[in-house]
Amino acid sequence: MSAGRSDYPVVEHVERPVNPVFSLVSDKVRMPDGEVARRDFMHHVGAVAAVAVDADESVLLIRQYRHPVGETMWELPAGLTDVPGEAPVDTARRELAEEADLTARDWRMLLELHTTPGCSDERIRVYLAREVAPVPAHERFERTAEEAGLTTRWVPLADAVAMVTTGELTNATAVAGVLAAARSRDNGWTGLRPA
Protein backbone atom coordinates (compact mmCIF):
# COMPACT_ATOMS: atom_id res chain seq x y z
CA MET A 1 0.00 0.00 0.00
CA SER A 2 1.18 3.52 -0.71
CA ALA A 3 2.29 5.21 2.47
CA GLY A 4 1.31 8.80 1.71
CA ARG A 5 2.29 11.58 4.06
CA SER A 6 1.22 11.36 7.69
CA ASP A 7 -1.30 14.17 7.15
CA TYR A 8 -2.57 12.46 3.93
CA PRO A 9 -2.66 8.75 4.86
CA VAL A 10 -3.64 6.22 2.19
CA VAL A 11 -6.49 4.08 3.51
CA GLU A 12 -6.95 1.96 0.37
CA HIS A 13 -4.53 1.24 -2.48
CA VAL A 14 -5.23 -0.52 -5.79
CA GLU A 15 -2.54 -0.82 -8.46
CA ARG A 16 -3.17 -2.20 -11.95
CA PRO A 17 -0.01 -2.94 -13.97
CA VAL A 18 -0.34 -1.86 -17.60
CA ASN A 19 3.15 -2.63 -18.94
CA PRO A 20 6.76 -2.69 -17.70
CA VAL A 21 6.88 1.13 -17.73
CA PHE A 22 3.80 2.15 -15.76
CA SER A 23 0.79 1.04 -13.75
CA LEU A 24 -2.45 2.80 -12.90
CA VAL A 25 -3.03 3.50 -9.21
CA SER A 26 -6.24 4.33 -7.35
CA ASP A 27 -5.68 5.46 -3.77
CA LYS A 28 -8.25 6.49 -1.23
CA VAL A 29 -6.62 9.22 0.83
CA ARG A 30 -7.76 10.71 4.12
CA MET A 31 -7.61 14.49 3.82
CA PRO A 32 -6.64 16.74 6.76
CA ASP A 33 -10.34 17.56 7.29
CA GLY A 34 -11.12 13.84 7.77
CA GLU A 35 -12.85 13.29 4.41
CA VAL A 36 -11.64 10.46 2.15
CA ALA A 37 -10.95 11.29 -1.49
CA ARG A 38 -9.98 9.06 -4.39
CA ARG A 39 -6.76 9.97 -6.19
CA ASP A 40 -5.89 8.22 -9.46
CA PHE A 41 -2.44 8.47 -11.01
CA MET A 42 0.16 6.71 -13.11
CA HIS A 43 3.03 5.04 -11.27
CA HIS A 44 6.09 5.33 -13.56
CA VAL A 45 9.47 3.56 -13.40
CA GLY A 46 11.30 6.86 -13.84
CA ALA A 47 13.76 8.14 -16.41
CA VAL A 48 17.00 10.00 -17.04
CA ALA A 49 18.20 12.47 -19.64
CA ALA A 50 21.58 13.84 -20.69
CA VAL A 51 22.38 17.42 -21.63
CA ALA A 52 25.53 16.85 -23.68
CA VAL A 53 27.53 20.06 -24.09
CA ASP A 54 30.62 20.21 -26.30
CA ALA A 55 33.72 22.39 -26.05
CA ASP A 56 32.00 25.11 -28.14
CA GLU A 57 29.10 25.21 -25.62
CA SER A 58 26.63 23.68 -28.04
CA VAL A 59 24.04 21.20 -26.78
CA LEU A 60 23.13 17.99 -28.57
CA LEU A 61 19.44 17.69 -29.43
CA ILE A 62 17.76 14.69 -30.96
CA ARG A 63 14.65 14.76 -33.13
CA GLN A 64 12.33 11.83 -32.53
CA TYR A 65 8.71 10.86 -33.26
CA ARG A 66 6.44 10.78 -30.19
CA HIS A 67 3.17 8.99 -30.84
CA PRO A 68 1.06 10.34 -27.93
CA VAL A 69 1.37 13.88 -29.32
CA GLY A 70 1.67 12.80 -32.96
CA GLU A 71 4.75 14.93 -33.51
CA THR A 72 8.43 14.68 -34.20
CA MET A 73 10.04 16.66 -31.40
CA TRP A 74 13.41 18.07 -30.38
CA GLU A 75 14.54 16.34 -27.19
CA LEU A 76 17.54 15.32 -25.13
CA PRO A 77 18.97 11.80 -25.21
CA ALA A 78 16.89 10.06 -22.55
CA GLY A 79 15.57 6.74 -21.37
CA LEU A 80 13.80 4.74 -18.71
CA THR A 81 15.38 3.62 -15.44
CA ASP A 82 14.07 0.12 -16.02
CA VAL A 83 17.24 -1.98 -15.70
CA PRO A 84 17.37 -3.45 -12.17
CA GLY A 85 20.50 -2.43 -10.30
CA GLU A 86 21.67 0.11 -12.91
CA ALA A 87 22.59 3.46 -11.35
CA PRO A 88 20.68 6.35 -12.93
CA VAL A 89 23.88 8.03 -14.16
CA ASP A 90 24.86 4.76 -15.85
CA THR A 91 21.47 4.70 -17.55
CA ALA A 92 22.15 8.23 -18.79
CA ARG A 93 25.58 7.13 -20.07
CA ARG A 94 23.98 4.20 -21.90
CA GLU A 95 21.24 6.36 -23.43
CA LEU A 96 23.74 8.97 -24.63
CA ALA A 97 25.72 6.23 -26.36
CA GLU A 98 22.65 4.49 -27.81
CA GLU A 99 20.79 7.58 -29.03
CA ALA A 100 23.62 9.95 -29.90
CA ASP A 101 26.72 7.75 -30.39
CA LEU A 102 28.53 9.78 -27.71
CA THR A 103 30.45 9.24 -24.51
CA ALA A 104 31.29 11.85 -21.89
CA ARG A 105 34.04 12.00 -19.26
CA ASP A 106 32.45 14.61 -16.97
CA TRP A 107 28.99 13.87 -15.53
CA ARG A 108 27.13 16.11 -13.06
CA MET A 109 23.58 16.14 -11.70
CA LEU A 110 21.91 19.10 -13.38
CA LEU A 111 18.37 18.82 -12.01
CA GLU A 112 15.53 16.50 -11.04
CA LEU A 113 11.96 16.83 -12.30
CA HIS A 114 8.53 15.54 -11.43
CA THR A 115 7.13 15.95 -14.94
CA THR A 116 3.39 15.88 -14.23
CA PRO A 117 2.82 15.56 -10.46
CA GLY A 118 -0.93 16.05 -10.86
CA CYS A 119 -1.31 12.74 -12.68
CA SER A 120 1.97 10.79 -12.39
CA ASP A 121 4.81 10.11 -9.96
CA GLU A 122 7.33 10.08 -12.84
CA ARG A 123 10.71 11.46 -11.78
CA ILE A 124 13.44 12.32 -14.26
CA ARG A 125 17.06 12.93 -13.33
CA VAL A 126 18.78 15.21 -15.84
CA TYR A 127 22.56 15.03 -16.06
CA LEU A 128 25.05 17.44 -17.58
CA ALA A 129 27.52 15.52 -19.77
CA ARG A 130 30.72 17.32 -20.82
CA GLU A 131 34.02 16.37 -22.42
CA VAL A 132 32.12 14.41 -25.06
CA ALA A 133 33.60 12.11 -27.69
CA PRO A 134 32.13 9.86 -30.37
CA VAL A 135 31.52 6.17 -29.72
CA PRO A 136 33.79 4.15 -32.06
CA ALA A 137 31.83 3.06 -35.16
CA HIS A 138 32.17 -0.67 -34.42
CA GLU A 139 30.67 -0.17 -30.90
CA ARG A 140 27.58 1.81 -31.93
CA PHE A 141 24.10 0.69 -30.97
CA GLU A 142 21.70 -0.36 -33.74
CA ARG A 143 18.58 1.78 -33.33
CA THR A 144 15.09 0.40 -34.05
CA ALA A 145 11.43 1.55 -34.04
CA GLU A 146 11.09 5.32 -33.43
CA GLU A 147 14.79 5.55 -32.61
CA ALA A 148 15.73 4.26 -36.09
CA GLY A 149 14.59 7.56 -37.60
CA LEU A 150 15.97 9.93 -35.01
CA THR A 151 18.38 12.63 -36.06
CA THR A 152 20.85 14.63 -34.00
CA ARG A 153 21.96 18.25 -34.17
CA TRP A 154 24.45 20.34 -32.19
CA VAL A 155 22.81 23.66 -31.30
CA PRO A 156 24.59 26.60 -29.65
CA LEU A 157 23.25 26.83 -26.11
CA ALA A 158 21.92 30.37 -26.67
CA ASP A 159 20.05 29.16 -29.77
CA ALA A 160 18.59 26.22 -27.81
CA VAL A 161 17.31 28.69 -25.19
CA ALA A 162 15.73 30.67 -28.03
CA MET A 163 14.07 27.44 -29.26
CA VAL A 164 12.38 27.23 -25.85
CA THR A 165 11.00 30.77 -25.99
CA THR A 166 9.81 30.44 -29.60
CA GLY A 167 8.02 27.16 -28.89
CA GLU A 168 10.21 25.07 -31.18
CA LEU A 169 11.45 23.08 -28.16
CA THR A 170 8.48 21.92 -26.05
CA ASN A 171 9.56 18.61 -24.50
CA ALA A 172 9.46 19.41 -20.75
CA THR A 173 12.67 17.60 -19.89
CA ALA A 174 14.54 19.25 -22.76
CA VAL A 175 13.18 22.69 -21.84
CA ALA A 176 14.28 22.31 -18.22
CA GLY A 177 17.63 20.76 -19.17
CA VAL A 178 18.51 23.46 -21.70
CA LEU A 179 17.56 26.30 -19.35
CA ALA A 180 19.42 24.71 -16.43
CA ALA A 181 22.50 24.14 -18.59
CA ALA A 182 22.45 27.77 -19.72
CA ARG A 183 22.24 28.90 -16.11
CA SER A 184 25.04 26.55 -15.11
CA ARG A 185 27.22 27.87 -17.94
CA ASP A 186 26.53 31.43 -16.75
CA ASN A 187 27.82 30.33 -13.33
CA GLY A 188 31.01 28.87 -14.82
CA TRP A 189 29.72 25.29 -14.60
CA THR A 190 30.06 25.44 -10.80
CA GLY A 191 27.69 24.51 -8.00
CA LEU A 192 26.40 21.29 -9.55
CA ARG A 193 25.95 18.09 -7.57
CA PRO A 194 28.10 15.06 -8.36
CA ALA A 195 26.47 12.49 -10.61
Side-chain angles (χ1 to χ4, degrees):
M1 178 183 287
S2 290
R5 283 185 8 195
S6 61
D7 51 344
Y8 291 91
V10 174
V11 297
E12 184 179 314
H13 175 81
V14 177
E15 190 164 344
R16 294 177 299 284
V18 174
N19 58 41
V21 178
F22 68 87
S23 57
L24 299 178
V25 175
S26 287
D27 280 347
K28 289 188 178 173
V29 182
R30 186 166 313 283
M31 299 290 139
D33 65 3
E35 295 293 317
V36 173
R38 183 173 144 181
R39 295 292 178 254
D40 299 323
F41 64 95
M42 180 181 69
H43 170 68
H44 192 280
V45 298
V48 297
V51 181
V53 177
D54 69 8
D56 295 326
E57 296 185 346
S58 290
V59 62
L60 182 91
L61 297 178
I62 64 171
R63 193 153 173 84
Q64 183 174 354
Y65 175 70
R66 291 300 186 180
H67 187 72
V69 294
E71 293 181 20
T72 302
M73 308 179 77
W74 286 112
E75 302 184 343
L76 300 171
L80 300 169
T81 53
D82 59 352
V83 176
E86 185 175 58
V89 69
D90 291 333
T91 304
R93 283 185 178 100
R94 179 172 50 80
E95 292 296 336
L96 184 62
E98 289 178 3
E99 294 188 349
D101 300 322
L102 290 174
T103 63
R105 287 186 357 149
D106 184 19
W107 288 86
R108 305 291 168 97
M109 172 63 75
L110 189 58
L111 61 105
E112 295 177 81
L113 299 169
H114 285 100
T115 57
T116 51
C119 66
S120 173
D121 65 355
E122 181 182 26
R123 178 178 167 187
I124 299 181
R125 292 174 177 94
V126 182
Y127 294 92
L128 177 65
R130 296 180 65 220
E131 298 179 35
V132 295
V135 171
H138 67 280
E139 294 179 17
R140 292 186 178 170
F141 181 77
E142 185 175 336
R143 295 187 274 276
T144 60
E146 290 94 341
E147 291 181 347
L150 71 76
T151 57
T152 62
R153 184 170 96 189
W154 286 99
V155 178
L157 198 47
D159 293 350
V161 170
M163 290 171 70
V164 171
T165 59
T166 63
E168 188 178 358
L169 182 61
T170 61
N171 173 285
T173 304
V175 167
V178 163
L179 295 177
R183 177 67 175 159
S184 178
R185 185 226 23 228
D186 293 347
N187 289 334
W189 305 109
T190 61
L192 296 175
R193 294 173 280 168

